[in-house]
Amino acid sequence: MSINLSTTVGAVSLNSCIYNASGPKCTTKEELENIGKSFSAAILTKSSTLELRTGNPSPRYFENELGSINSMGLPNQGYQFYADLATSMQQYNKPYFISVAGLSLENNLVMLKHLNQVDNIDAIELNLSCPNVPGKPQTGYDFERTQQVLDQVCKFDRHSLGIKLPPYFDLIHFRQMADIINQYPIKFVTCVNSIGNGLVIDVNTEQVVIKPKNGFGGVGGDYIKPTALANVRQFYLLLRDDIDIIGSGGAKNGSDVFEHILCGASAVQIGTQYMREGANCFERIEKELKNLMAQKNYQSIDDFKGKLQSIS
Ligand code: SIN
């Protein structure tokens, strides 16, 4: 049986539904080229700021068998670097997405305005949810502010514009955020960023495991899969049908990706597992997903996307 994993992210077609999350190993040209050569269905950059940033002091990333905690602080080469790579990234014959995380609305507007003039960028993922820049709250937790930001950024509409949200935990918050997003020409929503301001502790040393913010950082991996699935599901049910949901959180094998799609994801990003395993993970996870779909007689992701069943 031939199995087709093709999907769409907004107006952008992808040959497969699995690609890298903005975060691990997508900052340098070499890292982005590695993603290009891999089975990742798209190349998504590290969240970029107006100027180059070195980020927070190290150690700023830690992982154990359950997942990861990071407080990278948006180290990146500056958005112009990622814009300048757009043409050379076309050699990999897959979409090139730039993540943008301005330190202010004004910075976001400058970047989006410039990126709007650049060819060969297929979509922009506006990150409204980085928990790791000291003194900068996560925009996605401030509903009024999110509305102000969307009012402004949606004026730049040449590229598919999506937003990356923090995880929500209360049903009223899903509804409130969905009501805001539904007012704008947003093409996709990525659920979720890491769970912000978690704490991982080393019992032996009685110390935190990362240095910035006294050890508080964004938690990813297995720790967050149920939260990520809940966010994918809620936004799939609450957002307009033409807004694609991109799952991100705790996907490390084909079965995890299947769960995200069952909840309503059109594509699934790999973060912690890509950091752990490197770019070979995309081929492995794709194979595992195809095997699972074959067992279930599914030929395309539309055969099960969003079809999660309740217990009657
Ligand atoms: C970071 O660079 O601190 C992580 C980015 C993010 O969580 O949005």
Side-chain angles (χ1 to χ4, degrees):
M1 181 169 58
S2 100
I3 294 184
N4 177 2
L5 296 185
S6 66
T7 189
T8 55
V9 172
V12 186
S13 299
L14 273 66
N15 290 336
S16 151
C17 56
I18 302 163
Y19 62 99
N20 72 292
S22 176
K25 296 184 184 165
C26 55
T27 301
T28 66
K29 181 167 186 260
E30 195 191 348
E31 288 167 343
L32 293 166
E33 286 171 346
N34 279 339
I35 297 169
K37 289 177 205 154
S38 77
F39 272 58
S40 176
I43 304 169
L44 172 59
T45 71
K46 175 73 184 164
S47 289
S48 52
T49 50
L50 202 50
E51 310 289 346
L52 178 151
R53 278 175 66 85
T54 53
N56 292 337
S58 294
R60 55 190 186 179
Y61 182 88
F62 173 89
E63 69 182 38
N64 59 27
E65 65 287 354
L66 294 174
S68 60
I69 182 166
N70 88 84
S71 183
M72 304 300 290
L74 297 175
N76 77 93
Q77 313 275 336
Y79 84 102
Q80 191 60 53
F81 174 88
Y82 301 106
D84 290 344
L85 284 179
T87 300
S88 76
M89 287 294 147
Q90 294 309 303
Q91 68 184 290
Y92 300 109
N93 290 319
K94 58 181 75 171
Y96 180 60
F97 297 163
I98 295 190
S99 171
V100 168
L103 299 181
S104 65
L105 173 57
E106 293 65 35
N107 285 5
N108 276 331
L109 293 176
V110 170
M111 289 189 278
L112 292 175
K113 193 169 170 199
H114 282 176
L115 292 172
N116 216 26
Q117 315 297 322
V118 178
D119 289 333
N120 298 320
I121 298 170
D122 296 286
I124 306 277
E125 184 181 85
L126 180 66
N127 181 353
L128 298 180
S129 48
C130 177
N132 301 329
V133 180
K136 299 279 177 192
Q138 289 164 271
T139 304
Y141 285 137
D142 181 338
F143 296 99
E144 218 174 293
R145 184 70 183 151
T146 299
Q147 179 126 32
Q148 288 164 1
V149 168
L150 295 183
D151 270 339
Q152 298 294 318
V153 299
C154 287
K155 291 178 184 155
F156 305 102
D157 59 1
R158 197 179 133 222
H159 302 301
S160 268
L161 180 68
I163 53 177
K164 184 169 185 178
L165 294 176
Y168 299 96
F169 302 92
D170 192 301
L171 295 184
I172 191 74
H173 292 157
F174 290 116
R175 163 63 63 194
Q176 286 171 336
M177 184 47 79
D179 285 348
I180 292 170
I181 295 168
N182 279 333
Q183 296 168 33
Y184 295 94
I186 295 291
K187 302 286 197 308
F188 63 95
V189 170
T190 303
C191 304
V192 292
N193 208 321
S194 56
I195 297 183
N197 299 303
L199 201 50
V200 174
I201 292 168
D202 181 334
V203 171
N204 291 326
T205 60
E206 301 179 15
Q207 244 187 351
V208 297
V209 295
I210 55 171
K211 180 168 177 177
K213 293 176 70 180
N214 294 324
F216 287 81
V219 177
D222 289 0
Y223 286 122
I224 77 162
K225 192 176 83 172
T227 298
L229 293 176
N231 278 258
V232 169
R233 185 68 184 160
Q234 284 288 339
F235 283 110
Y236 177 75
L237 295 173
L238 292 168
L239 290 177
R240 291 193 322 261
D241 287 349
D242 62 305
I243 301 178
D244 287 322
I245 312 298
I246 313 305
S248 183
K252 64 178 187 206
N253 57 39
S255 173
D256 297 325
V257 170
F258 187 92
E259 287 182 58
H260 272 274
I261 296 170
L262 202 57
C263 287
S266 294
V268 180
Q269 299 177 349
I270 314 296
T272 297
Q273 187 60 30
Y274 166 46
M275 182 71 176
R276 201 180 260 146
E277 184 178 343
N280 288 339
C281 73
F282 300 110
E283 183 175 8
R284 175 186 59 75
I285 296 171
E286 183 175 312
K287 259 192 211 145
E288 291 169 356
L289 177 61
K290 282 184 170 171
N291 286 342
L292 184 57
M293 287 170 62
Q295 281 167 34
K296 290 172 176 280
N297 276 324
Y298 292 143
Q299 286 183 301
S300 78
I301 70 164
D302 284 335
D303 291 341
F304 60 100
K305 185 173 121 184
K307 296 187 179 162
L308 180 67
Q309 296 179 42
S310 300
I311 299 172
S312 49

Coordinates of all heavy atoms in Angstrom, one line a residue, residues 253-284:
N253 N 8.6 9.7 18.3 CA 8.4 8.5 17.4 C 7.2 8.6 16.6 O 6.4 9.6 16.8 CB 8.5 7.2 18.3 CG 7.4 7.2 19.3 OD1 6.2 7.6 19.0 ND2 7.7 6.7 20.5
G254 N 7.0 7.6 15.7 CA 5.8 7.7 14.8 C 4.5 7.7 15.5 O 3.5 8.4 15.1
S255 N 4.4 7.0 16.6 CA 3.2 6.9 17.4 C 2.8 8.3 18.0 O 1.6 8.7 18.0 CB 3.3 5.8 18.4 OG 2.3 5.8 19.3
D256 N 3.8 9.0 18.5 CA 3.6 10.3 19.0 C 3.0 11.3 17.9 O 2.1 12.1 18.2 CB 4.9 10.9 19.6 CG 5.4 10.2 20.8 OD1 4.6 9.6 21.6 OD2 6.7 10.1 20.9
V257 N 3.7 11.2 16.7 CA 3.2 12.0 15.6 C 1.8 11.6 15.3 O 0.9 12.5 15.1 CB 4.2 11.9 14.4 CG1 3.6 12.5 13.2 CG2 5.5 12.4 14.7
F258 N 1.5 10.4 15.3 CA 0.1 9.9 15.0 C -0.9 10.5 16.0 O -1.9 11.0 15.6 CB 0.1 8.4 15.1 CG -1.2 7.8 14.6 CD1 -1.4 7.4 13.3 CD2 -2.3 7.6 15.5 CE1 -2.7 6.9 12.9 CE2 -3.5 7.1 15.1 CZ -3.7 6.7 13.8
E259 N -0.5 10.5 17.2 CA -1.4 11.1 18.3 C -1.7 12.6 18.0 O -2.8 13.1 18.1 CB -0.8 11.0 19.7 CG -0.8 9.5 20.2 CD -0.2 9.5 21.6 OE1 -0.7 10.2 22.5 OE2 0.8 8.7 21.8
H260 N -0.6 13.3 17.7 CA -0.8 14.8 17.4 C -1.8 14.9 16.2 O -2.6 15.8 16.2 CB 0.6 15.4 17.0 CG 1.3 15.9 18.2 ND1 1.2 17.2 18.7 CD2 2.3 15.4 18.9 CE1 2.0 17.4 19.7 NE2 2.7 16.3 19.9
I261 N -1.6 14.1 15.2 CA -2.5 14.3 14.0 C -3.9 13.9 14.3 O -4.9 14.5 13.9 CB -1.9 13.4 12.8 CG1 -0.5 14.0 12.4 CG2 -2.9 13.5 11.6 CD1 0.2 13.1 11.4
L262 N -4.0 12.8 15.1 CA -5.4 12.4 15.6 C -6.1 13.5 16.3 O -7.3 13.7 16.2 CB -5.2 11.2 16.5 CG -6.4 10.2 16.7 CD1 -6.9 9.7 15.4 CD2 -5.9 9.1 17.6
C263 N -5.3 14.3 17.0 CA -5.9 15.5 17.8 C -6.2 16.6 16.8 O -6.9 17.6 17.2 CB -4.9 16.0 18.8 SG -4.8 14.9 20.2
G264 N -5.6 16.6 15.6 CA -6.0 17.7 14.6 C -4.8 18.4 14.0 O -5.0 19.3 13.2
A265 N -3.6 17.9 14.3 CA -2.4 18.6 13.7 C -2.3 18.3 12.2 O -2.5 17.1 11.8 CB -1.1 18.1 14.4
S266 N -1.9 19.3 11.4 CA -1.7 19.1 10.0 C -0.2 18.7 9.8 O 0.1 18.1 8.7 CB -1.9 20.3 9.2 OG -3.3 20.6 9.3
A267 N 0.6 19.0 10.7 CA 2.1 18.7 10.7 C 2.6 18.7 12.1 O 1.9 19.2 13.0 CB 2.8 19.7 9.8
V268 N 3.7 18.0 12.3 CA 4.3 17.9 13.7 C 5.7 18.3 13.6 O 6.5 17.8 12.8 CB 4.0 16.5 14.2 CG1 4.6 16.3 15.6 CG2 2.6 16.1 14.1
Q269 N 6.1 19.1 14.6 CA 7.5 19.5 14.7 C 8.2 18.7 15.8 O 7.6 18.3 16.8 CB 7.6 21.0 15.1 CG 7.0 21.9 14.1 CD 7.0 23.4 14.6 OE1 7.3 23.6 15.8 NE2 6.6 24.3 13.7
I270 N 9.5 18.4 15.5 CA 10.3 17.6 16.4 C 11.4 18.6 17.0 O 12.2 19.2 16.3 CB 11.0 16.5 15.7 CG1 10.1 15.7 14.8 CG2 11.7 15.5 16.7 CD1 8.9 15.0 15.4
G271 N 11.4 18.7 18.4 CA 12.3 19.5 19.1 C 13.3 18.8 19.9 O 14.4 18.5 19.5
T272 N 12.9 18.4 21.1 CA 13.9 17.7 22.0 C 14.5 16.5 21.4 O 15.7 16.2 21.5 CB 13.1 17.3 23.3 OG1 12.7 18.5 24.0 CG2 14.0 16.6 24.3
Q273 N 13.7 15.7 20.7 CA 14.2 14.4 20.1 C 15.2 14.7 18.9 O 16.2 14.0 18.8 CB 13.1 13.5 19.6 CG 13.5 12.2 19.1 CD 14.2 11.4 20.2 OE1 13.9 11.5 21.4 NE2 15.2 10.5 19.8
Y274 N 15.0 15.8 18.2 CA 15.9 16.2 17.2 C 17.3 16.6 17.8 O 18.4 16.3 17.4 CB 15.3 17.3 16.3 CG 16.3 18.1 15.4 CD1 17.3 17.4 14.7 CD2 16.3 19.4 15.4 CE1 18.2 18.1 13.9 CE2 17.2 20.1 14.6 CZ 18.1 19.4 13.8 OH 19.0 20.1 13.1
M275 N 17.2 17.3 18.9 CA 18.4 17.7 19.7 C 19.2 16.5 20.1 O 20.4 16.5 20.0 CB 17.9 18.6 20.9 CG 19.1 19.1 21.7 SD 19.9 20.4 20.9 CE 21.1 20.9 22.1
R276 N 18.4 15.5 20.6 CA 19.0 14.3 21.2 C 19.7 13.4 20.1 O 20.8 12.9 20.2 CB 17.9 13.5 21.8 CG 18.3 12.5 22.9 CD 17.0 11.9 23.4 NE 16.5 12.4 24.6 CZ 15.2 12.6 25.0 NH1 14.3 12.2 24.2 NH2 14.9 13.0 26.2
E277 N 18.9 13.2 19.0 CA 19.3 12.2 18.0 C 19.9 12.8 16.7 O 20.5 12.0 16.0 CB 17.9 11.5 17.7 CG 18.1 10.3 16.7 CD 16.7 9.6 16.5 OE1 15.8 9.8 17.3 OE2 16.7 8.8 15.5
G278 N 19.7 14.0 16.5 CA 20.2 14.6 15.2 C 19.2 14.4 14.1 O 18.2 13.8 14.3
A279 N 19.7 14.8 12.9 CA 18.7 15.0 11.8 C 18.2 13.6 11.2 O 17.3 13.5 10.5 CB 19.3 15.8 10.7
N280 N 18.9 12.5 11.7 CA 18.4 11.2 11.2 C 17.0 10.9 11.8 O 16.3 10.0 11.3 CB 19.4 10.1 11.6 CG 20.6 10.1 10.8 OD1 20.6 10.7 9.7 ND2 21.7 9.5 11.3
C281 N 16.7 11.6 12.9 CA 15.4 11.3 13.5 C 14.2 11.4 12.5 O 13.2 10.7 12.7 CB 15.2 12.1 14.8 SG 14.8 13.8 14.4
F282 N 14.3 12.4 11.6 CA 13.2 12.6 10.7 C 12.8 11.4 9.8 O 11.7 11.0 9.7 CB 13.4 13.9 9.9 CG 13.7 15.1 10.7 CD1 14.9 15.7 10.7 CD2 12.6 15.7 11.4 CE1 15.2 16.8 11.5 CE2 12.9 16.8 12.2 CZ 14.1 17.4 12.3
E283 N 13.9 10.7 9.3 CA 13.6 9.6 8.5 C 13.0 8.4 9.4 O 12.1 7.7 9.0 CB 15.0 9.1 7.9 CG 14.8 7.9 6.9 CD 16.0 7.5 6.2 OE1 17.1 8.1 6.5 OE2 16.0 6.7 5.3
R284 N 13.6 8.2 10.5 CA 13.1 7.1 11.4 C 11.7 7.4 11.8 O 10.8 6.5 11.7 CB 14.0 7.1 12.7 CG 13.5 6.1 13.7 CD 14.2 6.1 15.1 NE 14.2 7.4 15.7 CZ 13.2 7.9 16.4 NH1 12.1 7.2 16.5 NH2 13.3 9.1 17.0

